[in-house]
Amino acid sequence: MTDRKELESEIQEELGRKQYSLMNDELFGYVFGREERRDLTADLLGAVLEESFGHSITGISFRPAEEFPIHSDKDQFSRIAARCELGGDEHIFVELQLVNFMESTKMPLICCAMMLNAQPEHDIHPVATVSIFSYSLPGDEDWRSEYHFFNNETHHLLSNGLGIHFLEVPKFAKTVRKHVSEMTRLERWMEFFANRLSEEEKEELAKIDPAVGRAYAAAEDFFTDRENCRKYIRREAELREALAALRSSGDLS
């Protein structure tokens, strides 16, 4: 038996025990990239963006990621492009990204540039990226980072027309666990990705936050399809092999 087959067999056994990663690209796309669950994507994005833009997201429509082409030889992330309505004629273009290893933190800036470039010069709307990392970035210990255009000396915000948001799941997973009733909306979503709650806590969270509850239900539904399971196992094996290679090379501790 090859190493890959042994690894896939191990992952299959984990699924039999209902142990799985919510940071798997196939599962992520199923939960957040489907039309029937676009309201969940809007809720997640709203938890990250609404404070910055001062408006609630009132609607969302998916856009083909190909409209904003990214040329990379390290395609290790899932991209969900969307137009988010903010009420009236206001809207923003957003890319939600699941990032697994190796990708440069410059990539969100490139994505923002592509989204700005795709718009007509006379009608430019704000753009933002929300990147969910399966690994920890060096430097800041906070699990949430937000970047805008500021004056270095006065810290005056030049424009909120471009925002880059990083959410680092491993750093969040090291924080003290709160009771679900004390969590913020974004913390509830981060608990979803960290996947560290008991079944009882998940049920309680679902009562408090139906959107996150539906995300958990969608994840369970994903594994009722054999083809989905095969895709999950194949992708999970790829990710674990990549992680092992990075660790053995010293590029990741």
Side-chain angles (χ1 to χ4, degrees):
M1 180 180 289
T2 65
D3 289 342
R4 167 57 74 87
K5 288 185 177 180
E6 290 177 355
L7 182 55
E8 291 184 351
S9 177
E10 177 183 317
I11 296 168
Q12 178 69 59
E13 291 177 3
E14 291 173 1
L15 291 182
R17 299 191 296 271
K18 292 191 174 182
Q19 296 175 350
Y20 51 83
S21 169
L22 289 163
M23 299 293 287
N24 180 285
D25 303 78
E26 297 289 350
L27 181 52
F28 177 82
Y30 181 85
V31 175
F32 296 103
R34 297 288 186 92
E35 282 290 335
E36 63 267 26
R37 284 185 292 276
R38 63 183 180 180
D39 59 315
L40 300 187
T41 311
D43 194 272
L44 170 58
L45 292 175
V48 181
L49 299 174
E50 286 175 1
E51 183 177 343
S52 295
F53 287 98
H55 296 278
S56 297
I57 293 176
T58 59
I60 185 172
S61 57
F62 291 141
R63 309 294 292 267
E66 292 74 18
E67 287 187 13
F68 316 118
I70 303 296
H71 301 289
S72 171
D73 59 354
K74 297 177 181 179
D75 184 15
Q76 293 286 337
F77 62 89
S78 296
R79 300 170 56 207
I80 299 173
R83 167 177 163 152
C84 297
E85 308 296 334
L86 300 178
D89 293 329
E90 291 189 79
H91 63 267
I92 60 174
F93 292 99
V94 185
E95 272 213 2
L96 174 63
Q97 307 169 350
L98 179 66
V99 188
N100 285 301
F101 317 121
M102 294 188 292
E103 277 298 333
S104 168
T105 53
K106 295 179 181 178
M107 192 58 66
L109 185 60
I110 297 173
C111 291
C112 284
M114 290 292 184
M115 288 188 284
L116 286 170
N117 187 59
Q119 301 181 57
E121 293 182 7
H122 64 278
D123 191 27
I124 297 290
H125 291 267
V127 300
T129 58
V130 175
S131 302
I132 303 172
F133 287 85
S134 64
Y135 60 95
S136 295
L137 298 173
D140 201 331
E141 293 303 313
D142 290 341
W143 54 267
R144 179 182 185 180
S145 303
E146 183 174 339
Y147 301 90
H148 297 279
F149 282 125
F150 286 91
N151 181 300
N152 285 341
E153 293 185 1
T154 67
H155 301 288
H156 174 71
L157 177 65
L158 177 64
S159 170
N160 68 349
L162 186 153
I164 294 176
H165 304 258
F166 292 161
L167 304 174
E168 301 172 56
V169 174
K171 288 181 182 177
F172 176 83
K174 293 179 181 178
T175 62
V176 176
R177 292 173 58 178
K178 296 181 180 179
H179 188 274
V180 294
S181 63
E182 299 174 344
M183 296 176 189
T184 65
R185 182 180 173 195
L186 181 55
E187 286 170 341
R188 293 193 291 267
W189 276 116
M190 291 300 290
E191 285 292 359
F192 172 82
F193 290 110
N195 200 22
R196 61 177 182 171
L197 299 182
S198 66
E199 291 302 317
E200 293 75 14
E201 288 172 315
K202 290 179 183 179
E203 291 177 5
E204 186 174 358
L205 191 154
K207 293 177 182 177
I208 295 173
D209 193 327
V212 181
R214 285 181 54 213
Y216 278 122
E220 291 285 343
D221 182 69
F222 174 87
F223 291 107
T224 62
D225 183 279
R226 286 188 177 183
E227 182 58 28
N228 286 342
C229 290
R230 283 194 286 268
K231 290 178 180 178
Y232 172 92
I233 291 170
R234 184 164 56 248
R235 181 55 176 160
E236 194 65 19
E238 290 173 354
L239 292 174
R240 294 187 190 186
E241 285 179 339
L243 176 60
L246 285 171
R247 284 177 172 162
S248 64
S249 66
D251 292 335
L252 193 69
S253 59

